[in-house]
Amino acid sequence: MPSKVRLYVDQPLAQGQTVPLAREQANYLFNVMRLTPGTVLSLFNSRDGEWDAAVAHAGKHAGSLTVTARTRPLQPPPDLWLVFAPLKKTRTDFTVEKAVELGVSRILPVQTDFTNAERVRGDKMTAHAVEAAEQCGATFVPEVAEVQRLSTLLDRWPEGRSLWFCDESRVSETAAPQPTAPAPAAILIGPEGGFSETERTRLGRLSFAQPIRLGPRILRAETAAVAALSLWQITHGDWR
Amino acid sequence: MPSKVRLYVDQPLAQGQTVPLAREQANYLFNVMRLTPGTVLSLFNSRDGEWDAAVAHAGKHAGSLTVTARTRPLQPPPDLWLVFAPLKKTRTDFTVEKAVELGVSRILPVQTDFTNAERVRGDKMTAHAVEAAEQCGATFVPEVAEVQRLSTLLDRWPEGRSLWFCDESRVSETAAPQPTAPAPAAILIGPEGGFSETERTRLGRLSFAQPIRLGPRILRAETAAVAALSLWQITHGDWR
């Protein structure tokens, strides 16, 4: 873990720029981390890379930073989407955190026929994604899309984007080892109850979609997400 | 998820065998799951495969099952060890659960120079491994070894067992893509603080050990475990 504090800010970053802090950010930097004027921290905004900035003004509920020098260029993840059906809170949080660490460009929560996703909190997922990016040294925070129906997403699927889907309720039936899915790509993880027959039939007919098999044991949804993202990264992504 | 209840028992399984239940098992089956005499469930014991068994006697704190027929042969995971430095409880539990789902033969918690592992509870880890195996349809529960010092484990390293190690504190320095590590194999995940210089030097000199690189972002220990296990399984294990 880097010892310097890293902070995502939704502000332009350039030499000499002043970055005003929101109340929560000031609280974190000055009350939790106890930074004092002059302390140098790292900033990133998903656009301008990573920058050193020094604390200019430190108040209890406000403050500002002065950007000094760029320390790293922007390193965006590959154009890989994670499409998943959110379930219990801890496992959803976990999936978002892991997706950011492993490297995705966009996170798309979807409602499937067997998903109970009435309480999907996009703002919480975004906060989780920001925290994960701050922790893992990323210079980019994936966008968390509004929750939508899987069928709607498939209706509007962008041309040229390949899709791997994992159907853990049918482990023994999907036998395709290592299919290819070059970027732009997406990985779709079904809910714990699996896909419905309608969804399964539709996915089976889509020319851009391929089933993938993740071993002979049944993986929980969040395990399948991490495993599939890792496999994609090593075969097509920025782990090569 | 299979709808039939699955239960790990440390008892021989064969046709006609009577399986006495421990207090906790009886409580789970009869008070939590509310099974009644005659109900069929699945049993496995890491040795004899998976068997159907019917509830013979259902008491409040005791009971017994009668084994009827074998439904699946034993499907042991590949001979792959997961060696890791336990940290916070949730993330340790998570790592054990995921290791079982992804398929390992043995789980070895180790104390490294930078691990604070004074409170490692092997019994809790075993309970977690059993629960994960029951959930994921496995017929085998990996043994959880007693916690030991990493240096001791390396002193007694079995001949012929290859080792991948992940050192997330040095993401940019390890550049080896996809090294080979045929079974018997092991994956070593360092603690969040990374390995000490002594450990790093020693690992670098071991003929059986190879560093692996898991992308340009820093992965948390449990993410690195899941990613490395997935990569090993797809290249050398039973996901091929």
Side-chain angles (χ1 to χ4, degrees):
Chain A
M1 295 290 129
S3 51
K4 214 192 285 178
V5 170
R6 300 188 84 242
L7 193 71
Y8 169 83
V9 291
D10 190 12
Q11 304 273 344
L13 295 174
Q15 199 166 350
Q17 186 87 29
T18 296
V19 176
L21 294 168
R23 189 187 175 91
E24 278 189 14
Q25 292 170 323
N27 180 56
Y28 172 68
L29 294 184
F30 309 134
N31 302 328
V32 180
M33 301 306 289
R34 301 188 170 275
L35 304 192
T36 48
T39 311
V40 174
L41 65 161
S42 280
L43 302 182
F44 63 104
N45 63 359
S46 291
R47 297 186 299 274
D48 303 315
E50 183 185 78
W51 292 74
D52 269 354
V55 175
H57 169 69
K60 264 201 166 171
H61 308 299
S64 64
L65 310 171
T66 303
V67 179
T68 53
R70 194 163 85 154
T71 48
R72 277 164 61 203
L74 178 68
Q75 292 172 306
D79 187 359
L80 174 65
W81 293 0
L82 175 66
V83 183
F84 78 112
L87 276 172
K88 286 189 194 148
K89 189 189 168 308
T90 321
R91 295 184 190 267
T92 297
D93 289 351
F94 175 86
T95 305
V96 169
E97 177 184 301
K98 297 320 171 207
V100 174
E101 289 176 48
L102 297 166
V104 302
S105 59
R106 211 162 165 234
I107 295 171
L108 299 93
V110 289
Q111 171 124 29
T112 69
D113 291 347
F114 296 161
T115 317
N116 184 352
E118 80 269 23
R119 278 163 48 99
V120 170
R121 289 280 305 270
D123 56 338
K124 295 270 180 195
M125 281 198 223
T126 299
H128 240 80
V130 165
E131 201 179 309
E134 288 172 347
Q135 282 269 346
C136 76
T139 52
F140 181 93
V141 179
E143 178 213 356
V144 177
E146 289 288 315
V147 64
Q148 60 189 309
R149 287 205 57 83
L150 174 60
S151 55
T152 311
L153 177 65
L154 293 176
D155 287 344
R156 301 173 189 164
W157 195 258
E159 199 172 339
R161 182 173 298 271
S162 50
L163 174 71
W164 275 357
F165 65 95
C166 311
D167 189 355
E168 287 298 318
S169 67
R170 298 218 163 167
V171 160
S172 56
E173 293 168 42
T174 45
Q178 296 181 276
T180 60
I187 288 170
L188 166 63
I189 306 292
E192 299 273 324
F195 294 109
S196 69
E197 274 309 314
T198 313
E199 287 166 341
R200 206 168 261 141
T201 306
R202 181 164 185 195
L203 285 167
R205 283 181 190 155
L206 295 171
S207 60
F208 56 82
Q210 303 173 82
I212 61 160
R213 184 173 181 267
L214 299 169
R217 289 156 296 272
I218 301 164
L219 304 188
R220 281 177 180 272
E222 75 278 6
T223 321
V226 175
L229 291 171
S230 302
L231 296 183
W232 191 89
Q233 283 288 13
I234 204 88
T235 50
H236 300 88
D238 64 10
W239 295 16
R240 283 178 296 177
Chain B
M1 296 290 126
S3 49
K4 213 192 284 177
V5 170
R6 299 188 84 241
L7 194 70
Y8 169 82
V9 292
D10 188 11
Q11 305 272 344
L13 295 174
Q15 198 164 351
Q17 185 88 28
T18 297
V19 176
L21 294 169
R23 189 187 175 93
E24 275 188 16
Q25 293 171 323
N27 180 56
Y28 172 68
L29 294 184
F30 308 135
N31 302 329
V32 180
M33 301 305 290
R34 301 189 170 275
L35 304 193
T36 49
T39 311
V40 174
L41 64 160
S42 280
L43 302 182
F44 64 103
N45 62 359
S46 290
R47 297 186 298 274
D48 303 315
E50 182 184 79
W51 292 75
D52 270 354
V55 175
H57 168 68
K60 264 203 168 172
H61 306 300
S64 64
L65 311 171
T66 303
V67 179
T68 53
R70 194 163 84 151
T71 47
R72 276 164 61 202
L74 178 67
Q75 292 173 306
D79 187 358
L80 174 65
W81 293 359
L82 175 65
V83 183
F84 79 110
L87 276 172
K88 285 190 194 148
K89 190 189 168 306
T90 321
R91 295 186 190 266
T92 297
D93 290 351
F94 175 87
T95 305
V96 169
E97 176 183 302
K98 296 321 171 207
V100 174
E101 289 176 48
L102 297 166
V104 302
S105 59
R106 209 161 166 235
I107 295 171
L108 298 93
V110 289
Q111 172 124 28
T112 68
D113 291 346
F114 296 161
T115 317
N116 184 352
E118 81 268 24
R119 278 162 49 99
V120 171
R121 290 281 304 270
D123 56 338
K124 294 272 180 192
M125 280 199 224
T126 298
H128 240 80
V130 165
E131 201 180 310
E134 289 171 347
Q135 282 268 346
C136 77
T139 53
F140 181 93
V141 179
E143 178 213 353
V144 177
E146 289 288 315
V147 65
Q148 59 190 309
R149 287 205 57 82
L150 174 61
S151 56
T152 311
L153 177 65
L154 293 176
D155 288 343
R156 301 173 188 164
W157 195 257
E159 198 172 341
R161 183 172 296 272
S162 49
L163 175 71
W164 275 357
F165 66 95
C166 311
D167 189 356
E168 287 298 318
S169 67
R170 298 221 162 164
V171 160
S172 56
E173 293 169 42
T174 45
Q178 296 182 275
T180 60
I187 288 170
L188 167 63
I189 305 292
E192 299 273 325
F195 294 109
S196 68
E197 274 309 316
T198 313
E199 288 166 340
R200 207 168 261 141
T201 305
R202 180 163 186 195
L203 286 167
R205 284 181 190 156
L206 295 171
S207 60
F208 56 81
Q210 303 172 82
I212 60 161
R213 185 174 180 267
L214 298 168
R217 289 155 295 274
I218 300 165
L219 304 187
R220 280 177 179 272
E222 75 277 6
T223 321
V226 175
L229 291 171
S230 302
L231 296 183
W232 191 90
Q233 283 287 12
I234 204 86
T235 50
H236 299 89
D238 65 9
W239 294 17
R240 282 176 299 176

